[in-house]
Every structure is written in structure tokens, then in C-alpha cells.
Amino acid sequence: MSETASKALRAPAAEPDPGRWKALVFIALAQLMVVLDATIVNIALPSAQQDLGISDGNRQWVVTAYALAFGGLLLFGGRIADLWGRKKAFVVGLGGFAAASALGGAATNEAMMFGARALQGVFGALLAPAALSLLAVMFTDAKERAKAFGIYGAIAGGGGAVGLILGGFLTEYLDWRWTFFVNIPFAIVAAAGAYFVIREPEGGRNRSSLDIPGVILSTLGLVALVYGFTRAESNGWSDSVTVGMFVASAVLLASFVLVESKVKAPLLPLRVITERNRGGIYLSLGLAIIAMFGLFLFLTYYLQIVKGYSPVKTGFAFLPMIAGMITGSTQIGTRLMTRVAPRLLMGPGFLVAALGMLLLTQLEIGSSYAALLLPAMLLLGLGMGTAFMPAMSLATQGVEPRDAGVASAMVNTSQQVGGAIGTALLNTIAASATTAYVADHIAGATSRSQQQLVQLEAMVQGYTSAIWFAVGILVVAAAIALTFVNAGRPGGTTVASSDEDAADEVQIPVVAH
């Protein structure tokens, strides 16, 4: 054995970054800002539409412009984080997101608003994978990693519901523009903290040349997929442009996989997604998000239109779900993560969430919040929080540091695409069931009040029909997690070695349960 190799073996393992817990505060703050933005604008949309004179046909672009840019550029953003360094990508992403938010808050017409939302998506696609991959490379001890990802998972899961509360407050008591301006202090504090506190470990960059064909094919393929589902919601599944988008997406993404298998320095190394555990996590997480996103929308409409809640009251009605997610993620998930295999948290977690969803299939016009919605939301939150936490951690565990950015981007991509699919798919199912119910019952309604009652009953019937599908989707997500994810509990030691181009991470094996 050479003297150099002998010294390397005797060298002590790198000490963990002493500022990692402070860094977690700023990373979590940035993640909260991105997740909040996904729902906070929805509450403000009616007011913004009226002020800016946006037509009903074009209002969806306030949401779609963000979703297309964010979902389409995530893989590229993850690769840029690996190339530049995560800290730099994180700070640039925060600065750009704040500037785009200021532009949105100051918008004077629909073009300015759509442009600001697209820019938010672009910088969000840089920021989100950088945040998750920073956690992945800074927290290497199993117990500390469990705590860090527990906090991150709670924010990723509960932030959307917090957005509903904050959006309701800002819209009702201030002005819709504040749903954009509120991002600026978040971004400034997170960027300043990141700049002074985060010390990214050395040797984790991927300095290979950028895979331009991969960037183009993945971006166009994901944009076509997200736009196809968004358009299906408004124009129907048989619409020629919708079908064309799905066909184009399939061709582009298949070409992307082919290119990635051939090029020397791929945008998305196939080793990242073909590993059994990560593949199972991306798939089960995407399915769970499909179920969750549709539900957020249905419950918001149910509480405001059927029950007559104000935006603020609607936001507060989601608090049990947030409490459940925080408890499931930081208490159940974190405490059990180092004791049991991840699949034994993910599978049962998704099943508990499915049980909460099953309760919601009993929704009626006069359903009691305390007797039905409260326990259903608690179960949903507990289940999702418990499942999200190990999923977030395992999705980036054992990944070579040079691939941490794209592995993190895949987590965000499965969530973003899942959200677009969930909103479109479940909304379409709900709309079809509502139309069928009205057709069957409207003839018997003679007075105006009876007709209004039929409309409300039809709306609730539509929601419950779609929620049944969401129950099934969560059960499938649980089955995938239990079948595919076979990693043991994270109790091994991680040994990192690095050379000029990349650092290969060696996991001391842990027996799978």
C-alpha cells in the first residue's frame, strides 16, 4: 500500500459543519417561501384578476406561467447547482425570486403579471434543488439527518396550507399585491443568512461540461407534460392541442432518456433514477402529491362556496392538517427514522393519509367540521408528514455529491408534475360527476332555491367522486413504497472521498429489513 493511501486511510472523517443547524433555519425559510407561493397566489387571484383586467380565459396563466417555468427547468436548475456550487445557486435563486416577486406585486397589466410569474418559476427552479441538496451534503450523520429532513419535510408538506392562511389575511386585510411583496423579506433574510452561515463541503461539484441536448429535451418535454395537464383541465382530454402536448411530451422525454444513456456527462445520470429506492420514492411521492393537490383545491372551494367561509376562516380550517404534518414529520418520522426501515414509515404513512381521505368521501352539504373534516385533516397531515420525511431524506441519501443537485431536482420535479397532474385529473373527474348529477336531478327542482340546492349537491358529489380516486392513488403510493423501497434504517457511517472532478460517496452497507 502506498504512503499516500495509508495516510488517507488513517485520516479522520471530516468534521460536520458547526454552522449546519443555523444554515438549516435559512434553508427552511427559503423552502417555506417557495411552497407558500404555490398556494398564496391562488387566494389572491380573484382580486388580482379584477384589478388588472385579466379575462376569465387568461387568468389560468397566473398559475400556469409559474408551473411551466418551475416544472420545466427544475432538472436544469439542479445541474446548475451542481456546477456552480449549491450555495451560489441558492443565493442567486433567492435574489432572482425576490426581484420577480417585486415585479409581480407592482404589475400594472396582465403581461407584466404573467412575465413576473414565469420569472418566479425560473428562479424557483434554481432555488428549490439547491436548498434540498445543501441539506443532503451538510447533514451526513443519520440521526441529525433525520431531524433536519423532518423539519424540511414538515415545511414542504404544510407550507401550502400556511399559504392559504397567509393569502387570506393579506388579501382580506391589506391588498392582493402583498401576496407577492411578502416574499421579499423572506428572500433577503434567507439570502443574508445563507451568505454568512452556509459553508458548502469541498469536492462535491460536478464540473463536467453542460449537456445542452439534455437541457433542451428535458425542458421542452416537462413543459409539454405540465401544459398538457393544465390544458386538459380547461379544454378537456380529447382537445387536439392537449393530445398533441402529451404525444410531444412522450417523444421528447423518451429522446431525453436515450440521449442521457449515450452522452459522456448527462444532465440526469440514469444511475440517479434507476436505483431501486430512489425510483420508488420519486414515483410514490409524485402519486401522493397528485392526491394532495386536488384535495387542497376541493376543500378550499367546499369551505368557501358550500359552507360560506371567508378566505381567512378557510385558511384557519386547514390548521389541523398543518399540525398533523408537523407532528408526523418532526415527531413520528424523526424519532423512528433511525430505528425502522424507511418503507415501514412511508407505506403506513400513505395508508393513514388514505384513511383520512376515505373519511372525506362522506362529505355532504351539511357535514360538521368538528365531526368529519377535523379528524380527516389530522389523519391526512399525520400520514403525509410521516411518509414525506423519510422520502425526502432517502431520495438524496447515498447519492454521489456531484449528483446531489439533480437528485434533489428529481424530488421537486415529481412534486411539481404530480401537482399539475393532480389538479387537472381530479378536477376533470369532479366536473364530470357534477355535470352528471345536475343532469339527473335538475328536472325535479322547480323553484330557484331547489335549483341552487341541486347545484351545491352536485358540486359536493363531484368532490367526493374525485376523492375516491385520490384514496386509490394513495393506496397505490403505499404499495409502491412498500414494494420498491428496500433500504434498511440509516445506521451506517458515510465515508467520502474526493478527487479533482468529483467526490464518490461510499456507504458502509446496512442490512435491509
Side-chain angles (χ1 to χ4, degrees), residues 194-265:
Y195 184 79
F196 291 109
V197 172
I198 291 176
R199 299 283 178 271
E200 190 179 344
E202 291 296 321
R205 289 197 193 180
N206 185 343
R207 300 181 191 277
S208 308
S209 57
L210 201 55
D211 169 22
I212 301 298
V215 169
I216 294 168
L217 288 169
S218 68
T219 301
L220 292 177
L222 288 170
V223 164
L225 183 64
V226 172
Y227 184 58
F229 277 105
T230 306
R231 190 176 170 88
E233 187 187 349
S234 53
N235 294 65
W237 295 91
S238 58
D239 174 69
S240 58
V241 178
T242 303
V243 174
M245 282 293 154
F246 286 136
V247 172
S249 173
V251 171
L252 287 162
L253 292 176
S255 305
F256 170 66
V257 172
L258 186 65
V259 166
E260 297 309 275
S261 67
K262 305 286 185 191
V263 296
K264 187 180 175 184

Side-chain angles (χ1 to χ4, degrees), residues 151-426:
I151 294 163
Y152 188 89
I155 289 168
V162 175
L164 295 171
I165 298 172
L166 193 56
F169 259 109
L170 294 171
T171 305
E172 206 164 312
Y173 298 117
L174 289 171
D175 184 68
W176 66 265
R177 295 181 186 278
W178 281 96
T179 60
F180 286 90
F181 292 145
V182 75
N183 290 331
I184 299 169
F186 273 100
I188 290 170
V189 172
Y195 184 79
F196 291 109
V197 172
I198 291 176
R199 299 283 178 271
E200 190 179 344
E202 291 296 321
R205 289 197 193 180
N206 185 343
R207 300 181 191 277
S208 308
S209 57
L210 201 55
D211 169 22
I212 301 298
V215 169
I216 294 168
L217 288 169
S218 68
T219 301
L220 292 177
L222 288 170
V223 164
L225 183 64
V226 172
Y227 184 58
F229 277 105
T230 306
R231 190 176 170 88
E233 187 187 349
S234 53
N235 294 65
W237 295 91
S238 58
D239 174 69
S240 58
V241 178
T242 303
V243 174
M245 282 293 154
F246 286 136
V247 172
S249 173
V251 171
L252 287 162
L253 292 176
S255 305
F256 170 66
V257 172
L258 186 65
V259 166
E260 297 309 275
S261 67
K262 305 286 185 191
V263 296
K264 187 180 175 184
L267 171 71
L268 175 63
L270 295 182
R271 62 179 174 267
V272 171
I273 53 171
T274 53
E275 198 273 321
R276 175 174 176 158
N277 290 289
R278 278 192 292 277
I281 280 167
Y282 297 146
L283 195 54
S284 60
L285 207 55
L287 285 169
I289 294 290
I290 288 174
M292 280 295 286
F293 261 66
L295 182 77
F296 269 147
L297 201 65
F298 296 148
L299 283 185
T300 302
Y301 279 114
Y302 173 79
L303 292 168
Q304 287 195 30
I305 296 171
V306 179
K307 303 296 276 186
Y309 283 22
S310 69
V312 171
K313 193 176 178 183
T314 300
F316 275 108
F318 279 96
L319 275 177
M321 192 185 290
I322 300 170
M325 279 182 175
I326 291 170
T327 305
S329 194
T330 62
Q331 299 303 311
I332 301 171
T334 301
R335 289 173 190 275
L336 295 180
M337 176 84 181
T338 53
R339 298 178 190 177
V340 300
R343 65 190 170 92
L344 299 181
L345 289 173
M346 290 177 66
F350 288 139
L351 288 175
V352 168
L355 183 61
M357 202 75 86
L358 190 64
L359 286 179
L360 290 173
T361 60
Q362 307 306 306
L363 266 186
E364 293 174 357
I365 289 179
S367 291
S368 158
Y369 176 82
L372 181 67
L373 285 139
L374 178 66
M377 284 199 205
L378 273 173
L379 286 171
L380 268 164
L382 275 171
M384 284 297 195
T386 303
F388 270 28
M389 189 259 143
M392 292 282 186
S393 178
L394 195 60
T396 52
Q397 190 171 303
V399 177
E400 295 178 16
R402 59 180 173 165
D403 295 335
V406 287
S408 302
M410 275 303 300
V411 177
N412 287 285
T413 301
S414 66
Q415 289 179 301
Q416 191 63 27
V417 173
I421 294 170
T423 305
L425 180 65
L426 297 181

Side-chain angles (χ1 to χ4, degrees), residues 365 442 445 447-458:
I365 289 179
I442 201 72
S447 67
R448 183 169 175 77
S449 61
Q450 285 178 327
Q451 288 172 353
Q452 285 176 335
L453 183 64
V454 167
Q455 291 285 354
L456 287 177
E457 285 172 345

